[in-house]
Amino acid sequence: MNFNEERFVLAEEAKGEGGRLAGFCSWSPDRIVGLYIHPAWAGRGVASVLMDHAEEAILAAAQLPCIHLAASALARPLYERRGYCVIRRRDWKTRGGLMIEAFDMEKPVLR
C-alpha cells in the first residue's frame, strides 16, 4: 500500500476473507513513519516482522548511514532492542491535540 512517498505493510489474521488488522508499519525513504500493533497481537513478533520488512525496503532503496524514527516513551524500549539510539527528547503534539514525550532515534546502517 502506498500514499505519496509513504509505504505501508499490513499484518492481518489468516482467518476469513480480508482478515482483521493485526498491525501495520509505514516508512518513507529514510525513516520509519509509523508502527501500530493491535493489543491482541502484542508480544507475538508482529512488530519485529513488520519492522524487518520496512528496514529492508528503506535500505534497498538508498545508501543511507542510518534509519530515523520518532518514538513514544512506550515504544522506545522496542526500538532500543532493535539497535536504535535516542538522539534527543522532545514534546510532541498528537493528532488529537495531546502533548506527549517523544524521542527522535536513529539506527546506524551496518553494511
Side-chain angles (χ1 to χ4, degrees):
M1 185 168 119
N2 303 325
F3 181 74
N4 294 329
E5 285 199 5
E6 191 172 354
R7 307 291 183 248
F8 292 78
V9 63
L10 308 177
E12 293 182 318
E13 280 186 48
K15 300 176 196 172
E17 291 296 317
R20 293 184 177 178
L21 185 66
F24 72 85
C25 187
S26 66
W27 66 94
S28 64
D30 70 339
R31 73 180 40 251
I32 303 294
V33 177
L35 176 66
Y36 168 78
I37 306 301
H38 187 282
W41 289 88
R44 296 169 67 179
V46 175
S48 292
V49 170
L50 294 173
M51 287 288 295
D52 287 347
H53 184 86
E55 289 175 347
E56 288 170 13
I58 290 169
L59 295 177
Q63 295 284 328
L64 301 171
C66 31
I67 300 173
H68 297 92
L69 59 80
S72 67
L74 183 63
R76 180 180 166 184
L78 166 74
Y79 297 126
E80 288 176 331
R81 286 191 301 274
R82 294 189 59 85
Y84 288 83
C85 300
V86 173
I87 301 169
R88 72 179 175 117
R89 183 220 168 269
R90 63 184 168 93
D91 292 327
W92 180 63
K93 189 173 187 176
T94 68
R95 293 177 203 180
L98 296 173
M99 292 300 291
I100 66 169
E101 181 178 41
F103 301 90
D104 291 328
M105 303 181 79
E106 70 179 14
K107 177 181 181 176
V109 172
L110 304 175
R111 298 203 185 263

